[in-house]
Amino acid sequence: MKIVVLDRTSVGEDVSAEGIERLGEAVLYGSTPDALAAERIADADIVVANKNPMNESTLRNAGRVRLICQLSTGYDNVDLDYCRRRGIRVCNVRGYSTAAVAQHTVALALSVLENLPYYDRYVKSGAYGAQPRFSCFEKTWYELEGKTWGIAGMGNIGKRVAQAAQALGCRVIFYATSGRSDCREYEQVDFDGLLGQSDILSLHCPLSDRTYHLMNREAFARMKPEAILVNVARGAVVDTTALYEALQSGQIRGAGIDVFEKEPIAPDNPLAKLEDTGKLQLTPHMAWASLEARRRCMEETCRNIEAFLCGEERNIVV
């Protein structure tokens, strides 16, 4: 049984891959350019992939492939129809990063709300030590207590964020980006209600035709001027240019962004040029990537392979 891992570094070198190596003849590549994917999986029985396209072009000559294991929850890179026709099973990893993404969501919101990077630099630069008073009020910061925290996408991550926000004294509302939700613990509103009422608005929805550029010029125009946006979902849920304009013009107070329309971030992305940390703080698509979450991702992938080898269905997409 030959197992080819195309993107071993996608979970980090500090996470062991011994579990996969025990399951068969394992060939692990740190990363794989798309142009080399077909060649590397040509004689594989099982492919472990992350971002490389798994479609007719890459799988046409890989006649032995029986299973594609996504080293992630998302499977946008997999042509499910083609795999179904070929009888190739596809599985993913679910729920491994819920705690990490929820934690990072709150961290971004708090950091923007309090402008922590500014104050960190203020102390380390010597400016604090050179002033006569014991504190500093250069940049105004605000409490979460009593604010309305809006959530777009009330899945597992959205619910975990809602719990944290409520514990910090927020009123929680949410918008079901899929058009329906069975969540009854929190107040459900329409999109206009979400935009108009939210002091903090965090995005936790998948990218789809419904959510592509959900946050556009019209959406930002309907938000409170003191609102903060946090995007830990997918980059294209937010129109980058519209967000930049909303921040520059003061349509919204600030944003914390972990995901981008092109990743790694494109050199011409205007957000990278906005240096005011009170308005914008950026992180490199790391919300999911705590050490614990990355370990769970690898462990769950191993369990998916074990289940398949035993004839059991586990986390099967098709």
Side-chain angles (χ1 to χ4, degrees), residues 291-304:
L291 177 60
E292 295 89 346
R294 289 183 288 115
R295 283 176 174 165
R296 283 192 292 269
C297 184
M298 182 63 82
E299 291 164 359
E300 286 295 298
T301 298
C302 292
R303 293 189 182 105
N304 286 343

Side-chain angles (χ1 to χ4, degrees), residues 1-317:
M1 182 65 61
K2 184 170 183 178
I3 305 170
V4 175
V5 180
L6 291 175
D7 198 1
R8 191 257 178 271
T9 58
S10 65
V11 292
E13 296 287 356
D14 55 343
V15 171
S16 173
E18 290 180 0
I20 286 181
E21 293 171 331
R22 287 195 294 266
L23 294 172
E25 177 195 350
V27 179
L28 286 72
Y29 296 99
S31 62
T32 296
D34 289 346
L36 293 181
E39 175 186 333
R40 291 182 173 180
I41 66 173
D43 60 348
D45 298 290
I46 296 174
V47 177
V48 179
N50 190 308
K51 300 298 184 185
N52 293 115
M54 294 287 103
N55 52 31
E56 184 174 2
S57 177
T58 52
L59 293 164
R60 183 185 303 115
N61 297 319
R64 288 169 46 183
V65 173
R66 298 163 52 199
L67 176 69
I68 295 172
C69 276
Q70 282 294 109
L71 202 57
S72 63
T73 300
Y75 44 86
D76 297 347
N77 58 312
V78 183
D79 184 336
L80 298 181
D81 289 336
Y82 177 76
C83 289
R84 191 179 289 110
R85 292 196 302 271
R86 275 275 307 271
I88 299 171
R89 306 311 302 268
V90 179
C91 62
N92 67 347
V93 184
R94 304 169 190 178
Y96 69 96
S97 64
T98 299
V101 177
Q103 177 177 311
H104 195 70
T105 301
V106 176
L108 276 175
L110 287 170
S111 190
V112 174
L113 200 66
E114 300 187 16
N115 203 349
L116 296 182
Y118 171 84
Y119 281 112
D120 176 70
R121 287 201 302 269
Y122 186 83
V123 174
K124 291 176 180 175
S125 70
Y128 176 50
Q131 70 174 36
R133 58 184 192 276
F134 74 95
S135 189
C136 178
F137 322 120
E138 293 281 337
K139 298 287 185 181
T140 305
W141 65 274
Y142 306 86
E143 298 176 358
L144 275 177
E145 178 81 27
K147 302 291 191 298
T148 296
W149 190 306
I151 293 172
M154 190 57 92
N156 291 334
I157 294 172
K159 288 176 182 175
R160 185 70 67 91
V161 171
Q163 292 167 2
Q166 195 170 57
L168 289 166
C170 293
R171 167 191 173 228
V172 175
I173 60 175
F174 77 95
Y175 166 66
T177 55
S178 66
R180 62 186 184 279
S181 174
D182 59 1
C183 178
R184 300 292 180 268
E185 298 96 323
Y186 305 100
E187 179 185 352
Q188 184 173 350
V189 296
D190 61 16
F191 191 48
D192 280 340
L194 182 80
L195 296 172
Q197 298 180 53
S198 297
D199 297 298
I200 309 291
L201 172 53
S202 59
L203 307 178
H204 307 287
C205 50
L207 179 62
S208 67
D209 291 342
R210 292 176 64 96
T211 61
Y212 176 78
H213 283 189
L214 179 73
M215 300 302 301
N216 53 27
R217 285 186 177 90
E218 292 75 20
F220 288 118
R222 300 203 294 274
M223 292 179 71
K224 294 180 179 181
E226 63 269 23
I228 290 172
L229 175 73
V230 177
N231 187 14
V232 293
R234 287 290 183 265
V237 175
V238 176
D239 180 331
T240 300
T241 301
L243 173 59
Y244 176 77
E245 292 171 351
L247 291 168
Q248 283 286 69
S249 67
Q251 266 188 325
I252 63 172
R253 175 183 291 153
I257 304 296
D258 184 59
V259 288
F260 305 90
E261 295 199 63
K262 183 181 184 304
E263 294 179 340
I265 190 170
D268 61 349
N269 189 315
L271 298 179
K273 302 171 185 175
L274 212 166
E275 296 183 358
D276 184 344
T277 56
K279 286 190 173 183
L280 178 65
Q281 293 179 33
L282 306 176
T283 53
H285 200 151
M286 56 170 279
W288 67 278
S290 68
L291 177 60
E292 295 89 346
R294 289 183 288 115
R295 283 176 174 165
R296 283 192 292 269
C297 184
M298 182 63 82
E299 291 164 359
E300 286 295 298
T301 298
C302 292
R303 293 189 182 105
N304 286 343
I305 296 173
E306 288 174 339
F308 177 79
L309 295 177
C310 293
E312 302 169 3
E313 293 202 349
R314 187 176 194 272
N315 293 331
I316 295 293
V317 177

